[in-house]
Amino acid sequence: MSFRSRLNVALGLAFLCAVAGALLMSRPASAQGDVHLFVGPGGRLSELDFEQTGLRLGDRLAFRVPLLDGAQASDAGVGYAECVVMRRITDDADGASGLYRCNYLLHLADGDLIVDGLDPHGPGVASFAVLGGTGAYAGATGEATVTDSAAGTEFVIVLTG
């Protein structure tokens, strides 16, 4: 085999290796696996309560919270959220009621995820849409189940794309 032939074979192999490496490194978000998070203790909350006392249509909440991994054993990132009141928020003898529309940016070590949906006030389960992400979650789609209970808030995010 001539030197030129060996050079062409070597360049061809190098090109194939580069393409294979790029494909492996740019796996879709669904290949990253599902994401399981808990809202940790602490954080900061601001209420934007316009005109009347009590949270009513158009009032807002903005907050930043620490995120823990699924085992609640280690720091997983930070969650940023903005919620708009869609139905008056109350806590009375009949229990909690009201409705928020919330947008969360979940800032994780390997990228960000954005989820959005309607969240009932008080304990319960809500489904949110995964709107996208960055880094390992670039192009992410799927569904997030958000569970609020006396134990705290849990995110289970199933990535489909």
Side-chain angles (χ1 to χ4, degrees):
M1 186 182 282
S2 71
F3 174 75
R4 181 171 282 208
S5 296
R6 285 185 292 196
L7 181 61
N8 285 338
V9 169
L11 289 174
L13 285 173
F15 176 74
L16 288 175
C17 288
V19 169
L23 289 173
L24 287 174
M25 291 185 67
S26 63
R27 298 182 301 170
S30 61
Q32 306 299 321
D34 297 341
V35 179
H36 190 186
L37 303 166
F38 287 90
V39 172
R44 184 176 168 133
L45 168 72
S46 291
E47 289 185 5
L48 302 167
D49 188 358
F50 303 111
E51 297 181 19
Q52 301 176 10
T53 57
L55 293 174
R56 300 173 188 274
L57 181 66
D59 291 342
R60 298 174 184 271
L61 304 174
F63 50 94
R64 178 184 68 231
V65 293
L67 298 172
L68 302 173
D69 66 0
Q72 300 185 53
S74 62
D75 180 34
V78 179
Y80 302 92
E82 178 185 33
C83 297
V84 178
V85 176
M86 303 307 288
R87 189 172 61 226
R88 185 174 180 215
I89 305 301
T90 61
D91 288 300
D92 53 29
D94 296 330
S97 68
L99 186 67
Y100 300 103
R101 181 185 165 273
C102 295
N103 181 278
Y104 290 90
L105 185 144
L106 306 173
H107 181 69
L108 309 172
D110 49 354
D112 295 343
L113 275 169
I114 298 172
V115 299
D116 190 277
L118 294 174
D119 190 357
H121 175 63
V125 178
S127 294
F128 283 55
V130 176
L131 300 182
T134 65
Y137 307 106
T141 59
E143 187 171 337
T145 301
V146 181
T147 305
D148 286 319
S149 68
T153 301
E154 174 184 22
F155 287 84
V156 177
I157 303 167
V158 178
L159 299 173
T160 58

